[in-house]
Amino acid sequence: MRYAVQAPGAVVMIRPHAFESNPETQADNAFQQASQTADKTDTARRAFEEVTQAAQTLEQAGVRVHLFEDEGLRGTPDSVFPNNWFSTHAGGHIAVYPMYSANRRRERRQDVIEALKVGYRVQDVIDYSGLEPDGLFLEGTGAMVLDHISRVAYVCQSQRAHPIVLERFATHFNFEPMAFDAVDLQGRAIYHTNVLMCIGTDFALVGLALIPDAQRRQQVRERLAETGREVIALSAHQIAEFCGNAIELQTPTGRVVALSSRAMAALLPDQIETIERSARLLPLHIPTIELAGGSVRCMLAGIHLAARPPMDTQA
């Protein structure tokens, strides 16, 4: 079915026990902010509670959530954003990615991969992390926003999305790479594509105004519209409020779009109407998590794998 191609019905989430805004990523993540309190224990507690509540809200909506704990012992302040270090793909494929920041490389967890193998049909794991010593990085579905219907990988060009790794991924997973420049109002490169755009089944949210090259901007719009999607242009202000950092998910009662309450508040009535013709908006309250420069999409690693039947789990 068409809906299953773009909108996964299950996600992986990581619940952090020692969350903080990552000092190693501050330089090139303009969305990142310092904590509003000097009390790290309080910040970590609030982040833990936000992830707990977000997972419950998703499950109540009908999304299957695989929740893993990060006790914070390995020094992984950004572990709440697992979509950067792995992705899953129809046909039983998993990709593991090379990460730009050294402390983010410690987020990769074999226990997560093994759990996916138990619950889902996994044919192979393609691991690109060995490219890190060569300075070649591609931060998963943060660096790429994947159109699973048209097989296009949209990529903002940055140091977190090296063209060599992108080409390898595109070849292995049968995507056409579509790279472009995107900058904020201060002229700073957008660090991850998934803060700029969200691709659903029948719509796409995209900060077109932040793509400075007019010809490339129009090409991106046209490619997104080719499948009949309604292209919803987001303003620079809406991108800063994380309106682009959303994800469409499938539930037994229809599709939902998970996004933060901050992003929901920044959407215009006509944009909400357009989205909700296709999927119900599902806001999650995560103000502490957003201090780290990512939002709901970054927190959810979608599972595009076929589930094993219960009796097959011991096979």
Side-chain angles (χ1 to χ4, degrees):
M1 298 177 67
R2 187 169 184 251
Y3 68 77
V5 174
Q6 190 65 28
V11 297
V12 166
M13 297 181 70
I14 308 293
R15 180 162 50 191
H17 293 241
F19 172 87
E20 63 176 323
S21 191
N22 189 352
E24 287 193 14
T25 59
Q26 184 80 51
D28 71 335
N29 184 347
F31 293 78
Q32 195 170 330
Q33 304 172 47
S35 175
Q36 297 169 340
T37 173
D39 187 343
K40 288 188 176 182
T41 301
D42 181 62
T43 298
R45 178 189 58 78
R46 287 188 284 113
F48 179 94
E49 291 173 353
E50 287 172 12
V51 173
T52 301
Q53 183 58 55
Q56 291 174 353
T57 300
L58 288 165
E59 288 184 323
Q60 289 166 1
V63 177
R64 186 178 183 189
V65 176
H66 300 278
L67 184 61
F68 294 84
E69 305 294 334
D70 177 18
E71 303 291 346
L73 302 177
R74 297 172 298 138
T76 50
D78 273 339
S79 63
V80 72
F81 302 136
N83 82 309
N84 298 134
W85 70 262
F86 82 97
S87 64
T88 65
H89 302 268
H93 311 293
I94 296 176
V96 176
Y97 296 102
M99 305 289 282
Y100 175 69
S101 297
N103 66 7
R104 295 216 62 191
R105 298 167 193 172
R106 296 193 290 267
E107 295 173 25
R108 292 189 291 258
R109 293 173 51 166
Q110 190 60 33
D111 64 323
V112 173
I113 301 298
E114 293 304 318
L116 290 174
K117 290 179 180 179
V118 170
Y120 298 87
R121 298 191 182 278
V122 175
Q123 299 296 322
D124 55 23
V125 178
I126 300 178
D127 189 345
Y128 301 104
S129 63
L131 296 171
E132 286 167 349
D134 300 314
L136 304 178
F137 312 111
L138 182 68
E139 295 191 337
T141 54
M144 304 178 290
V145 173
L146 302 177
D147 181 345
H148 294 272
I149 297 172
S150 294
R151 310 300 298 175
V152 178
Y154 293 89
V155 180
C156 294
Q157 298 181 120
S158 77
Q159 58 193 356
R160 303 190 189 206
H162 197 284
I164 289 177
V165 197
L166 174 61
E167 191 61 40
R168 290 190 187 183
F169 169 85
T171 299
H172 286 147
F173 289 91
N174 191 31
F175 280 88
E176 174 194 348
M178 189 167 193
F180 51 89
D181 291 317
V183 297
D184 64 18
L185 293 179
Q186 285 70 47
R188 297 169 297 194
I190 300 294
Y191 83 108
H192 271 166
T193 314
N194 76 357
V195 297
L196 185 80
M197 63 194 307
C198 161
I199 301 177
T201 302
D202 298 321
F203 67 89
L205 299 164
V206 56
L208 291 169
L210 300 183
I211 302 175
D213 183 280
Q215 182 177 3
R216 197 59 168 160
R217 185 190 315 137
Q218 183 61 24
Q219 290 170 343
V220 169
R221 178 191 282 275
E222 289 174 355
R223 289 305 301 275
L224 289 169
E226 274 182 2
T227 57
R229 291 187 178 97
E230 184 81 19
V231 177
I232 302 169
L234 300 175
S235 68
H237 167 72
Q238 289 177 314
I239 293 299
E241 295 297 299
F242 292 112
C243 292
N245 198 243
I247 180 172
E248 183 185 67
L249 302 167
Q250 181 66 36
T251 80
T253 57
R255 293 188 296 269
V256 298
V257 176
L259 76 172
S260 73
S261 54
R262 173 181 173 182
M264 179 76 175
L267 288 173
L268 301 176
D270 63 318
Q271 295 171 330
I272 292 173
E273 181 182 356
T274 299
I275 295 167
E276 292 204 320
R277 284 200 293 267
S278 173
R280 178 171 64 90
L281 286 161
L282 184 68
L284 306 174
H285 190 62
I286 54 163
T288 308
I289 301 296
E290 288 179 321
L291 294 174
S295 189
V296 168
R297 175 63 185 95
C298 304
M299 295 169 61
L300 305 180
I303 300 177
H304 294 268
L305 302 169
R308 291 182 180 275
M311 63 181 298
D312 195 30
T313 56
Q314 300 302 316

